[in-house]
Amino acid sequence: MLQIYNTLSKEKQPFTPIVKNKVGLYVCGITVYDLCHMGHARTYLSFDIVLRYLRHLGFEVKYVRNITDVDDKIIQRAQQNNETPGELTQRTITEMHADFAALNLLKPDVEPRVTTHMPEIITVIERLIDKGYAYQSSTGDVLFKVNAYEGYGKLSKQDLSQLVSGIRVQTTSDKHDPLDFILWKGVKEGEISWASPWGEGRPGWHIECSAMNHKHLGEHFDIHGGGSDLIFPHHENEVAQSCCAYDTPYVNTWMHTGMVQINNEKMSKSLDNFFTLRSVLEKHDAETLRFFLMSAHYRSQLSYSQENIDQARASLERFYTSLRDVKANVDVEMSYGGYLAKFEAAMNDDFNMPVAVAVLFDIVKDLNKLDSNSDEAKDTAGALRHLGKILGILENEPEQFLQGDLSQDLTAQIEALIAKRIQARTDKNWASADAIRDELSALGVILEESKTGTTWRKA
RNA sequence: GGCGGAAUGGCAGAAUGGCUAUGCAGCGGAUUGCAAAUCCGUGGAUCUCGGUUCGACUCCGGGUUCCGCCUCCA
């Protein structure tokens, strides 16, 4: 049985969907003012695996991942670029989709945007005002009255009095209470805005998610996820809004992913220590990055470094080397060899990807011992492909992965040298054979020679 | 100051109150003309100090260090 760690209860809990066999999954997406970075990639890769595994278990999952396409930074960046916010976000959304596709992330079923959900957002705010949980300030903003909600702080385990004493943000005078947060922000000169009962303006950050997941998943849904940096205040505020606007339970399971670290520090835009996914994809193949991103448990921090990515590459080379000489029987039963049970045991334990991956290595070990022409080897390779697919890996052709993309010229050059070396070895001209191997090595080619023939991979 | 998480072998990274994690790297052997790949074998760890226990890396308590959140953040 699947167990998931719930931020709300701080423990692993058996997962039972609200509606039998169906799962509503909402993940906070990115604010699209720039290219996404490795931290984003980590979070969405984690939920991609959650999604794939839930589907593997037979759940019908509705995956909703929003796009924040209006906020201060978007407005600011668009002004700097001398373009409209819409032009900016259209471009960054296209880039995001390209990056995520490269990482083999499945598409969300719904990808709602703030700018197309104004009526829904306004409706939620109206409900909050009607029920006495929100008020309009003297400056025109609409604010959520935090002390009106007794449950405030239950997700992030914050105590209201401690929050007040520790508050660092300067309080604007028109807030009744420094903890109150903005639901609707009155328009300022030159900003994009929408009409509302409270005048022209735009939504505060948190309300959009409450409105969008209400629309697409209903008042009460199964899983809500995001980076652990969103727990407070974003998700705490969302809980407050949704629970006050609607009198039903809100989210059953809250899942949060660990941060990507670089030099022992969180990777983030504000620290200016980030690597865009785009720039990393230019240097490494996408599957290596995907594998790197799943190399630690999703709730742990993940340290970004060249060495760790190289290790991911080396691990994948072991998989693909093993698969290279076997024609995998992809029609083999999922449960062939008993690996699936171990794999599921790992994944059922709060999606323990490192242990699940270790099961794949068990398969490799067995596969490498078999005669690659045997049915047993083909079936074992099929089992490896099956489990890999659940994780979204090992879907490429081994030769393609191991040799990379090469120009025709280079391929011809390599093949010619290999032919020369084969001749030299036939002639037992070892000096010449070794010299040719050195030449190939200089081209970044590592030879692999066996009784059945010669092949190679890139260094 | 408050809240939360973490400290495991050279690196990455799991797990468990007693039983091999796994991958990369190292070492020895098989194989190879020599390599590569592969197989077999192997060394090496649980921050620290106490406690509970027949037995703890695992449970409890005190330290130390690190990270995240408390401001926009995945």
Side-chain angles (χ1 to χ4, degrees):
Chain A
M1 169 133 204
L2 175 62
Q3 305 249 343
I4 305 178
Y5 181 88
N6 190 349
T7 305
L8 196 55
S9 65
K10 286 171 59 185
E11 59 186 16
K12 288 181 201 170
Q13 296 174 322
F15 176 72
T16 312
I18 296 162
V19 178
K20 195 171 189 301
N21 292 330
K22 294 196 173 187
V23 177
L25 171 63
Y26 184 91
V27 176
C28 285
I30 68 173
T31 302
V32 284
Y33 67 98
D34 204 345
L35 290 172
C36 57
H37 60 68
M38 289 296 288
H40 299 119
R42 206 280 171 103
T43 290
Y44 303 118
L45 180 279
S46 299
F47 285 105
D48 184 64
I49 287 176
V50 168
L51 171 67
R52 286 167 186 265
Y53 189 64
L54 287 170
R55 286 185 176 154
H56 161 74
L57 291 179
F59 292 110
E60 190 185 312
V61 185
K62 184 173 181 183
Y63 177 32
V64 182
R65 188 185 64 209
N66 73 292
I67 294 173
T68 298
D69 61 351
V70 62
D71 92 317
D72 291 349
K73 285 177 180 167
I74 289 172
I75 291 169
Q76 190 184 359
R77 181 65 62 92
Q79 280 171 353
Q80 284 167 6
N81 293 353
N82 210 6
E83 61 186 339
T84 66
E87 285 163 348
L88 170 66
T89 58
Q90 186 174 10
R91 191 174 65 249
T92 48
I93 288 169
T94 302
E95 302 284 20
M96 174 186 78
H97 285 153
D99 284 343
F100 288 179
L103 268 189
N104 198 19
L105 302 187
L106 299 177
K107 287 180 183 159
D109 298 293
V110 187
E111 199 169 38
R113 302 183 190 183
V114 177
T115 54
T116 58
H117 286 71
M118 288 302 160
E120 290 84 358
I121 289 168
I122 288 167
T123 298
V124 180
I125 297 174
E126 281 179 323
R127 287 183 70 99
L128 290 170
I129 291 174
D130 289 347
K131 295 175 81 175
Y133 290 110
Y135 60 91
Q136 187 164 21
S137 76
S138 56
T139 53
D141 299 336
V142 179
L143 294 136
F144 185 90
K145 200 187 294 181
V146 166
N147 66 15
Y149 175 51
E150 57 172 359
Y152 195 82
K154 69 181 175 185
L155 179 68
S156 57
K157 321 296 176 210
Q158 300 291 331
D159 184 79
L160 273 187
S161 59
Q162 289 297 342
L163 277 174
V164 173
S165 68
I167 203 148
R168 277 193 263 155
V169 63
Q170 74 275 39
T171 60
T172 52
S173 58
D174 56 337
K175 282 187 182 181
H176 293 4
D177 185 291
L179 289 176
D180 292 351
F181 57 90
I182 289 185
L183 299 171
W184 188 262
K185 189 178 278 198
V187 68
K188 293 193 183 68
E189 183 65 34
E191 287 181 351
I192 187 170
S193 67
W194 286 260
S196 83
W198 318 285
E200 286 283 316
R202 59 191 159 92
W205 177 34
H206 318 295
I207 195 66
E208 63 185 67
C209 284
S210 287
M212 289 189 283
N213 57 45
H214 178 263
K215 177 176 185 189
H216 296 286
L217 294 172
E219 293 175 13
H220 182 203
F221 59 95
D222 298 291
I223 303 174
H224 187 135
S228 57
D229 54 352
L230 298 185
I231 296 171
F232 190 90
H234 184 55
H235 288 161
E236 191 69 61
N237 290 353
E238 240 187 278
V239 170
Q241 294 161 350
S242 290
C243 290
C244 291
Y246 303 99
D247 301 313
T248 54
Y250 178 39
V251 169
N252 277 3
T253 305
W254 285 91
M255 294 180 68
H256 291 97
T257 57
M259 296 292 102
V260 171
Q261 307 285 118
I262 181 162
N263 299 327
N264 227 22
E265 221 178 22
K266 175 185 168 185
M267 181 182 288
S268 72
K269 300 237 170 164
S270 47
L271 290 170
D272 199 30
N273 61 356
F274 63 92
F275 282 78
T276 64
L277 183 50
R278 183 64 50 87
S279 70
V280 184
L281 280 168
E282 280 165 9
K283 284 186 249 147
H284 305 278
D285 66 278
E287 189 169 8
T288 291
L289 285 192
R290 185 174 172 96
F291 193 79
F292 161 69
L293 290 168
M294 64 171 75
S295 63
H297 189 273
Y298 76 88
R299 280 189 284 119
S300 309
Q301 296 179 340
L302 178 67
S303 184
Y304 174 89
S305 72
Q306 185 62 49
E307 188 186 359
N308 293 348
I309 291 177
D310 289 344
Q311 288 199 8
R313 170 79 197 182
S315 296
L316 281 174
E317 283 180 359
R318 179 165 166 82
F319 284 123
Y320 277 116
T321 300
S322 180
L323 285 169
R324 180 175 50 192
D325 302 322
V326 185
K327 176 127 179 49
N329 173 19
V330 293
D331 296 323
V332 74
E333 296 265 324
M334 282 295 284
S335 59
Y336 178 84
Y339 305 109
L340 180 66
K342 284 199 277 185
F343 179 90
E344 288 184 344
M347 292 297 282
N348 282 343
D349 182 15
D350 194 28
F351 307 97
N352 194 326
M353 293 176 243
V355 174
V357 168
V359 175
L360 303 212
F361 282 114
D362 289 345
I363 303 179
V364 167
K365 196 157 199 115
D366 292 344
L367 178 54
N368 283 339
K369 288 180 208 172
L370 296 169
D371 172 358
S372 48
N373 292 314
S374 66
D375 287 344
E376 204 183 347
K378 291 172 184 170
D379 290 348
T380 303
L384 179 56
R385 292 277 197 174
H386 281 319
L387 297 194
K389 192 172 173 63
I390 299 173
L391 298 175
I393 57 171
L394 307 184
E395 298 183 273
N396 291 310
E397 285 308 309
E399 292 280 296
Q400 210 279 324
F401 181 86
L402 293 167
Q403 299 181 348
D405 296 315
L406 293 174
S407 67
Q408 285 197 325
D409 281 359
L410 191 54
T411 305
Q413 192 184 353
I414 290 166
E415 280 169 3
L417 284 167
I418 287 174
K420 271 175 71 181
R421 175 166 157 95
I422 288 171
Q423 186 57 52
R425 293 181 72 214
T426 307
D427 299 341
K428 297 199 188 306
N429 185 348
W430 307 130
S432 169
D434 288 349
I436 295 164
R437 185 169 57 199
D438 289 344
E439 275 189 69
L440 283 161
S441 178
L443 292 171
V445 169
I446 296 173
L447 284 174
E448 293 178 7
E449 293 161 337
S450 70
K451 293 182 191 71
T452 54
T454 296
T455 185
W456 63 275
R457 64 189 165 88
K458 70 176 177 185

